[in-house]
Amino acid sequence: WILTHDLNSANFRAHLLTSAGVSTPAIISTVGSLHSCGNAYNSTMKFSPNSRKVGVVSFGCNFNQLFDFDNSSGVVSNPLSLQNGMQAYSCEFSGDGTKFYIADAGWSALHQWDLCAGSPTAIIASNYSVSTSGGSLGNIQLALNGKIYVSKSNSTSLGVINNPNLAGAASNYVNTGQSVSPNTSRRGLPNFVTSLFLQRPPPPPFTSTLTPAISCNAVSFSASSTPTLYGCAFSGYSLTSIQWDFGDPSSGAANS
């Protein structure tokens, strides 16, 4: 889906992109705040990696909202206003889709909300923030390694959220986590379609039994007989396969 928002309107426009091209007309969802202030164009929109949520923040209009997205119909619905009033420059979702982050450029603070907290009230109340320094915050972007990088204007380093799937302080934000010296960061970072590197939690642990009576190297493995899904972000998904990694890359194909 290609999703845009009209200026001076509450309309989202969704176009489905397939091998046949871009679908028309657009699927229009009139929902959420009006993008009608003087700097309404200065905004950021992000999909969650599992395509179930859309986050919209407006640096110009000072509102921040979260929406549900129907990946089959293209419809945007259920607006949830977060901490309005901040000068939010950008937003991003954790790799597992359970956390939502906003970079507040005005107060140089990074905010996190737990989307699995339960009710809308509980999600709003789950707000965890950490102050930053060394440059006004700009774009934040999930990367292939599962970390979220934070640009800081006129800084020789990027901030890094090392464990963005975890709540609160466990997310481990490091303000000078990635040096770009001798160059200087501005507000931008490369954009990625984060569903291309969707990260899912590992399956339940295997149990292992060493059988020295047969061979000193003979070990039997058994997987959980009832694999389950993990957290609110994966509701509706099914587990299709499990692979065991022995942690011995030098063994080549025998490693998994």
Side-chain angles (χ1 to χ4, degrees):
W1 290 96
I2 299 171
L3 189 65
T4 63
H5 197 287
D6 289 353
L7 189 62
N8 298 318
S9 169
N11 288 347
F12 286 90
R13 293 178 182 268
H15 295 269
L16 184 62
L17 175 63
T18 70
S19 58
V22 179
S23 66
T24 55
I27 306 299
I28 297 178
S29 302
T30 305
V31 63
S33 296
L34 290 172
H35 289 220
S36 58
C37 66
N39 296 319
Y41 55 84
N42 198 344
S43 304
T44 299
M45 184 191 305
K46 288 285 186 77
F47 276 107
S48 62
N50 60 13
S51 303
R52 296 195 164 206
K53 295 285 186 181
V54 173
V56 179
V57 301
S58 176
F59 182 73
C61 297
N62 294 336
F63 63 76
N64 314 294
Q65 293 186 313
L66 196 64
F67 301 85
D68 289 336
F69 183 76
D70 188 328
N71 198 31
S72 60
S73 67
V75 171
V76 181
S77 62
N78 299 326
L80 177 62
S81 293
L82 299 175
Q83 184 175 330
N84 291 335
M86 69 173 73
Q87 290 184 304
Y89 193 86
S90 63
C91 60
E92 183 59 287
F93 292 87
S94 61
D96 67 356
T98 65
K99 308 296 184 297
F100 182 60
Y101 291 87
I102 288 179
D104 181 358
W107 294 96
S108 294
L110 193 64
H111 294 260
Q112 178 204 75
W113 285 267
D114 186 351
L115 305 186
C116 292
S119 66
T121 300
I123 292 174
I124 293 171
S126 70
N127 183 10
Y128 167 81
S129 64
V130 57
S131 295
T132 64
S133 61
S136 179
L137 299 185
N139 282 336
I140 54 178
Q141 177 64 52
L142 180 67
L144 182 61
N145 61 7
K147 300 181 180 183
I148 293 178
Y149 291 85
V150 182
S151 64
K152 298 179 295 179
S153 184
N154 298 317
S155 174
T156 56
S157 65
L158 303 177
V160 179
I161 307 172
N162 287 290
N163 303 306
N165 296 340
L166 302 183
S171 60
N172 187 21
Y173 173 73
V174 177
N175 195 47
T176 56
Q178 176 64 56
S179 173
V180 294
S181 179
N183 298 305
T184 301
S185 166
R186 297 294 289 176
R187 292 190 184 272
L189 284 175
N191 294 318
F192 294 97
V193 180
T194 55
S195 59
L196 297 178
F197 39 83
L198 179 64
Q199 297 178 8
R200 299 188 178 187
F206 281 53
T207 58
S208 60
T209 305
L210 183 64
T211 51
I214 300 174
S215 166
C216 63
N217 292 321
V219 179
S220 60
F221 297 89
S222 60
S224 169
S225 59
T226 56
T228 57
L229 298 172
Y230 306 82
C232 69
F234 298 100
S235 176
Y237 286 89
S238 61
L239 189 65
T240 58
S241 65
I242 296 176
Q243 184 179 59
W244 179 263
D245 185 338
F246 290 92
D248 182 21
S250 63
S251 65
N255 187 39
S256 59

